[in-house]
Amino acid sequence: MSLLTTINQDVKTAMKAKDKETLGVLRMLKAALQNEQIKTGNELSEDEELTVLSREMKQRRESLVEFQNANREDLVEQTQRAITLVEKYLPQQFTEEELKAIVTEAIAKVNATSMKDFGKVMGAVMPLTKGKADGNEINRLVKEQLN
């Protein structure tokens, strides 16, 4: 079953439950997936769906930081609930230990020795962690291990 189908079913459930907040987030996810589908001109693969969801998650995390900096607790809580909902559709996230192992392996694979090889390491790590880890976390771990 495609992600879009799952989200459509969850939209119906949220409508029946009169859960406006969940409904709003689900509609936003559905719109993002449909827009990507229109842009590509064909059905989205599972990988493409993950890319869209990862992008939506990243936007919400960035918004959360901005709301926290502006002391907007009402928006912080709302955004945290949206993040929890989006996480439900993403695959299980890697733990920090798993990410460290992937980064270490990638550094060895590309023979990275300094920060000059940062791009090579990121290029090797990102396809392996697509949708299963936050890019900022990976970035931090790569920098730690290259220094």
Side-chain angles (χ1 to χ4, degrees), residues 25 36 47 54 58 84 132:
V25 174
E36 189 71 20
D47 198 38
S54 296
K58 181 179 179 185
T84 303
K132 296 180 182 176

Side-chain angles (χ1 to χ4, degrees), residues 22-76:
T22 300
L23 187 59
V25 174
L26 290 173
R27 284 182 171 159
M28 194 147 351
L29 292 177
K30 180 180 172 183
L33 288 166
Q34 288 176 327
N35 287 339
E36 189 71 20
Q37 199 168 5
I38 290 168
K39 196 166 98 178
T40 61
N42 55 5
E43 292 290 317
L44 296 179
S45 69
E46 194 173 315
D47 198 38
E48 291 169 323
E49 289 176 337
L50 264 179
T51 301
V52 173
L53 282 183
S54 296
R55 185 171 46 228
E56 291 296 313
M57 180 61 88
K58 181 179 179 185
Q59 288 174 351
R60 279 160 185 74
R61 284 189 176 132
E62 289 171 353
S63 296
L64 183 64
V65 171
E66 293 299 320
F67 294 147
Q68 287 170 335
N69 290 342
N71 292 323
R72 291 292 309 268
E73 289 305 314
D74 55 329
L75 295 176
V76 167

Side-chain angles (χ1 to χ4, degrees), residues 4-19:
L4 196 54
T5 306
T6 305
I7 290 176
N8 276 329
Q9 290 174 346
D10 291 348
V11 164
K12 290 176 190 173
T13 304
M15 288 172 88
K16 288 178 184 175
K18 296 182 178 16
D19 185 352

Side-chain angles (χ1 to χ4, degrees), residues 46-143:
E46 194 173 315
D47 198 38
E48 291 169 323
E49 289 176 337
L50 264 179
T51 301
V52 173
L53 282 183
S54 296
R55 185 171 46 228
E56 291 296 313
M57 180 61 88
K58 181 179 179 185
Q59 288 174 351
R60 279 160 185 74
R61 284 189 176 132
E62 289 171 353
S63 296
L64 183 64
V65 171
E66 293 299 320
F67 294 147
Q68 287 170 335
N69 290 342
N71 292 323
R72 291 292 309 268
E73 289 305 314
D74 55 329
L75 295 176
V76 167
E77 290 174 21
Q78 182 180 351
T79 305
Q80 285 173 331
R81 288 191 297 269
I83 287 171
T84 303
L85 187 61
V86 174
E87 282 175 342
K88 185 173 119 178
Y89 298 99
L90 287 170
Q92 180 66 40
Q93 300 293 293
F94 284 125
T95 64
E96 188 166 348
E97 292 77 32
E98 291 171 323
L99 282 176
K100 283 181 181 178
I102 291 170
V103 169
T104 302
E105 188 177 308
I107 288 172
K109 182 178 174 185
V110 299
N111 297 320
T113 56
S114 68
M115 281 302 289
K116 290 181 184 177
D117 300 317
F118 179 80
K120 290 180 189 175
V121 175
M122 289 297 286
V125 172
M126 290 310 284
L128 301 173
T129 60
K130 188 173 201 128
K132 296 180 182 176
D134 180 33
N136 292 331
E137 181 71 13
I138 296 167
N139 187 326
R140 182 183 63 79
L141 291 172
V142 170
K143 285 180 180 176

